[in-house]
């Protein structure tokens, strides 16, 4: 084989085979295997090869690695490391590397060596492929463990289309050993940082059933996904461009289709949660304990809904609730959750503190209009009088204060019509002399200034007779 051609031996009957034919046959299989290693995988440690410290001695555990040329580096037994290398290299930190090496072995027995000794002394029966451990002082000019100094720059991304060389050097980093002269009990330590491991190279991983596919990268330029998971059963057959159930696009955005179950905490660091609008439907409403954004198809109104489970059939309403609160220290000086606002599944809203309204508080429920019957007028006047009588109790902060500091807004008729309210009150007082007397006495005793103003205002009214 060569860098430009892939050839293998062709056999036929009565063929005369030379030594080179057998060498070419072997070289073909070796090169194809090594090309496979670096075409379908990234190079590095396959398994094992950890640095082990035992009773003050250093060892490399058995294992296997593949270098950047696709050659297997196999360490069959535990390899001891010389602690004298710290002194020899003049450093308390040493990098441990594993390199490929091959040597001739198994010399031919007497009578089978041929007529000559060979041009390079290569008359042996076997090539022995070995992995040799090498200790070196760290070079700050080459901090990248996947680009050591001994590798030519043109070979750093060695392509599988080229024939890998036999004897070129490509060390695989196993870690760093450190010596601490001040620690007599355990002077050595191992730092495994930057150990390179093999990986898979490919755009997709397909399950044997063909029902699940994992996409890595993207061959099509218009495909923005850099990682995607497709589940065949969840893909709409009418969709010309199937959407993955999980994907990460080129901007790093994570997209999840369908429902998602999270068995743990969700932390949003420096971001926000956004809800896209969906149509309000019975299916949406059938999902209890959820937060979702809906758009009414008829009115176009948008709602962000916080939904709780309703009371079970035969259960007691009010057992389920949405609670907004904070943690405070309780009576026993322990942190306890204190609700601030509670909404139960029977639509009862409870405010566990002060209610501050900065705008208008509007009542939208229609009240019964005051009728002309004496019972209705008496009820209105009685409520009005009891409201005045209970003013101080409704405002405990004003207990003992001068009457009139509290303000009562009576709404016996139309909530938006002061004239209607006045007429309703007048009709109620006119219909019940006892309530009228009580009202007049209350005004005269507790609100003398108001009584005087009313008297003056009424005296200025000119009657038709006068």
């Amino acid at each position: 084989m060569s860098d430009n051609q892939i050839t293998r031996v062709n056999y036929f009957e009565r063929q005369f085979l030379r030594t080179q034919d057998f060498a070419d046959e072997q070289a073909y299989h070796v090169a194809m295997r090594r090309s496979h290693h670096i075409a379908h995988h990234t190079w590095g440690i396959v398994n094992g090869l950890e640095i082990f410290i035992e009773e003050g001695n250093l060892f490399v555990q058995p294992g296997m690695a593949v270098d950047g040329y696709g050659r297997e580096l196999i360490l069959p037994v535990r390899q001891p490391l010389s602690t004298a290398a710290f002194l020899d290299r003049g450093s308390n930190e040493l990098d441990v590397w594993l390199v490929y090496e091959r040597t001739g072995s198994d010399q031919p027995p007497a009578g089978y060596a041929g007529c000559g000794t060979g041009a390079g002394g290569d008359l042996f029966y076997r090539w022995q492929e070995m992995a040799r451990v090498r200790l070196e002082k760290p070079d700050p000019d080459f901090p990248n463990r996947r680009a050591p100094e001994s590798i030519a720059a043109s070979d750093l991304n060695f392509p599988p289309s080229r024939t890998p060389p036999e004897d070129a050097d490509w060390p695989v980093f196993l870690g760093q050993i450190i010596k601490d002269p001040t620690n007599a009990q355990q002077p050595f330590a191992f730092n495994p940082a930057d150990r390179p491991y093999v990986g898979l190279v490919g755009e997709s991983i397909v399950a044997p059933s063909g029902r699940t596919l994992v996409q890595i990268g993207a061959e099509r330029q218009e495909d923005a996904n850099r990682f995607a998971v497709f589940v065949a059963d969840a893909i709409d057959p009418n969709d010309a461009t199937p959407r993955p159930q999980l994907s990460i696009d080129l901007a790093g955005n994570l997209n999840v289709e369908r429902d998602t179950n999270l068995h743990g905490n969700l932390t949003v660091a420096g971001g926000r949660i956004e809800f896209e609008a969906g149509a309000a439907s019975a299916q949406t409403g059938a999902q209890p304990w959820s937060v979702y954004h809906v758009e009414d198809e008829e009115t176009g109104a948008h709602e962000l809904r916080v939904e709780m489970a309703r009371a079970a059939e035969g259960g007691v309403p009010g057992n389920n609730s949405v609670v907004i609160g904070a943690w405070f220290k309780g009576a026993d000086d322990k942190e306890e959750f204190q609700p601030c606002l509670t909404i139960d599944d029977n639509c009862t809203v409870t405010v566990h503190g002060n209610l501050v309204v900065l705008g208008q508080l509007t009542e939208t429920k229609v009240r019964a209009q005051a009728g002309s019957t004496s019972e209705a007028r008496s009820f209105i006047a009685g409520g009005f009088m009891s409201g005045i009588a209970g003013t101080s109790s409704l405002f405990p902060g004003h207990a003992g204060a001068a009457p009139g500091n509290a303000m009562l807004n009576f709404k016996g008729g139309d909530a938006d019509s002061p004239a209607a309210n006045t007429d309703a009150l007048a009709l109620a007082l006119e219909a019940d002399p006892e309530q009228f007397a009580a009202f007049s006495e209350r005004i005269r005793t507790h609100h003398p200034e108001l009584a005087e103003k009313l008297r003056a205002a009424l005296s200025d009214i000119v009657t038709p007779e006068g």
Side-chain angles (χ1 to χ4, degrees), residues 70-105:
R71 300 172 299 191
E72 300 94 341
L73 283 64
I74 299 176
L75 199 65
V77 296
R78 187 167 69 167
Q79 177 73 43
L81 300 178
S82 173
T83 57
F86 290 102
L87 181 60
D88 295 340
R89 306 293 191 276
S91 174
N92 288 328
E93 296 178 352
L94 294 178
D95 289 344
V96 184
W97 302 85
L98 194 67
V99 294
Y100 173 84
E101 190 174 85
R102 68 170 187 165
T103 59
S105 65

Side-chain angles (χ1 to χ4, degrees), residues 115-252:
C115 298
T117 58
D122 55 353
L123 295 182
F124 46 85
Y125 272 18
R126 299 289 184 268
W127 280 112
Q128 184 177 3
E129 296 181 314
M130 301 181 298
R132 180 169 57 87
V133 177
R134 190 164 71 193
L135 302 177
E136 294 183 355
K137 181 179 178 180
D139 189 343
D141 293 334
F142 294 88
N144 187 356
R145 308 303 188 183
R146 282 192 172 272
E149 181 182 7
S150 58
I151 303 176
S154 58
D155 284 354
L156 286 177
N157 295 309
F158 193 83
S161 57
R162 290 175 55 189
T163 302
E166 278 288 355
D167 299 320
D169 193 11
W170 193 303
V172 177
F173 182 69
L174 302 184
Q176 189 177 84
I177 53 176
I178 304 168
K179 180 180 180 181
D180 184 2
T182 64
N183 190 343
Q185 294 184 344
Q186 184 56 273
F188 302 113
F190 168 54
N191 180 10
D194 298 331
R195 281 165 55 96
Y197 288 89
V198 296
L200 294 175
V201 176
E203 183 162 328
S204 63
I205 303 173
V206 183
S209 64
R211 302 175 69 177
T212 303
L213 180 146
V214 178
Q215 173 187 322
I216 305 172
E219 182 178 10
R220 294 182 294 109
Q221 185 175 2
E222 64 272 16
D223 188 352
N225 293 323
R226 292 299 175 264
F227 177 85
V229 178
F230 295 86
V231 179
D233 295 341
I235 295 177
D236 185 353
N238 298 320
D239 191 353
T241 304
R243 295 171 61 90
Q245 279 60 61
L246 174 68
S247 64
I248 301 176
D249 61 23
L250 53 84

